[in-house]
């Protein structure tokens, strides 16, 4: 199965992608996670990406397309498929993805578009905490960990992302409105778009996605 999870920052793409990846046994590919790993590893690409991430801007297409290409041609993706989280975010990226899928001769099955109101996004993102160890996501407003700062699933320490600060969050939401939303038209013209209301409980969103994919 080859799925894109599309939506504004904070819509719940990461949470749903982890669940879908497990449910369907497909790799979860998050460009945001790949960039954060590169920043952590102090690679040249990480240094470049960080300049944009810290401001809530998009990393240039040429860099982003290249890391996704290098990942999608690996055997786990060519044999099992994937769930893409956070890519594509521009029309150029969407067109490049079409070319990559042509290259491996595997079309997309669906583009799940998770919709959430901007003010709710800002509240969600400002309360978001991630496990350093297993990547599980928690939220001080909606899905608090049992013990502050400690992961319910593996006991690892939780951290707040550098770009989950209010000013950066507002810019990320603006960038989505100005640049990324156009990708919706691209996929609706391909008849692949499945809109989902993301302002519901996590389990309900998962259920709606699973139903749509059936
Ligand atoms: P995310 O975790 O998906 O919210 O991504 C965090 C940050 O990584 C974004 O705010 C961008 O700076 C960068 N990023 C992630 N995916 C992309 C992409 N497809 N194109 C450009 N920049 C991206």
């Amino acid at each position: 199965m080859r799925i894109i999870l599309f939506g504004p920052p904070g819509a719940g793409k990461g949470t749903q992608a982890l669940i879908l990846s497990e449910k369907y046994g497909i790799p979860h590919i998050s460009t945001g996670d790949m960039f954060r790993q590169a920043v952590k590893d102090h690679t040249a690409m990480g240094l470049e990406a960080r300049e944009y991430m810290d401001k809530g801007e998009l990393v240039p297409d040429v860099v982003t397309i290249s890391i996704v290409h290098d990942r999608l041609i690996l055997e786990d993706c060519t044999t099992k498929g994937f769930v893409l989280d956070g890519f594509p975010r521009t029309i150029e990226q969407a067109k490049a993805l079409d070319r990559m899928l042509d290259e491996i001769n595997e079309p997309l099955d669906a583009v799940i578009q998770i919709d959430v109101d901007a003010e709710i996004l800002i509240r969600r993102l400002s309360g978001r905490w991630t496990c350093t160890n297993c990547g599980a996501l928690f939220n001080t407003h909606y899905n608090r960990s049992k013990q502050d700062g400690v992961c319910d699933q593996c006991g690892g320490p939780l951290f707040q992302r550098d770009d989950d600060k209010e000013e950066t969050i507002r810019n990320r939401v603006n960038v989505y409105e100005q640049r990324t939303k156009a990708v919706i038209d691209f996929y609706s013209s391909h008849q692949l778009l499945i809109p989902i209301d993301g302002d519901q409980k996590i389990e309900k969103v998962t259920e709606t996605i699973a139903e749509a994919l059936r």
Side-chain angles (χ1 to χ4, degrees), residues 3-21:
I3 322 168
I4 294 177
L5 275 185
F6 188 83
K13 298 187 298 294
T15 303
Q16 295 299 331
L18 282 172
I19 297 171
L20 293 175
S21 157

Side-chain angles (χ1 to χ4, degrees), residues 9 30-33 35-36 52-53 56-59 64 85-89 93 128 161 163 172:
S30 153
T31 38
D33 284 351
F35 287 135
R36 278 183 289 278
Y52 297 91
M53 294 168 81
E57 303 286 343
L58 294 182
V59 177
T64 311
D85 156 16
F87 182 93
R89 268 170 147 109
Q93 292 179 13
R128 183 160 79 173
R161 279 169 45 170
D163 58 352
R172 287 163 63 205

Side-chain angles (χ1 to χ4, degrees), residues 33-57:
D33 284 351
M34 286 158 111
F35 287 135
R36 278 183 289 278
Q37 189 60 48
V39 169
K40 223 165 146 188
D41 294 344
H42 304 286
T43 67
M45 189 268 278
L47 279 179
E48 183 182 357
R50 184 169 195 162
E51 278 182 41
Y52 297 91
M53 294 168 81
D54 283 352
K55 290 184 272 183
E57 303 286 343

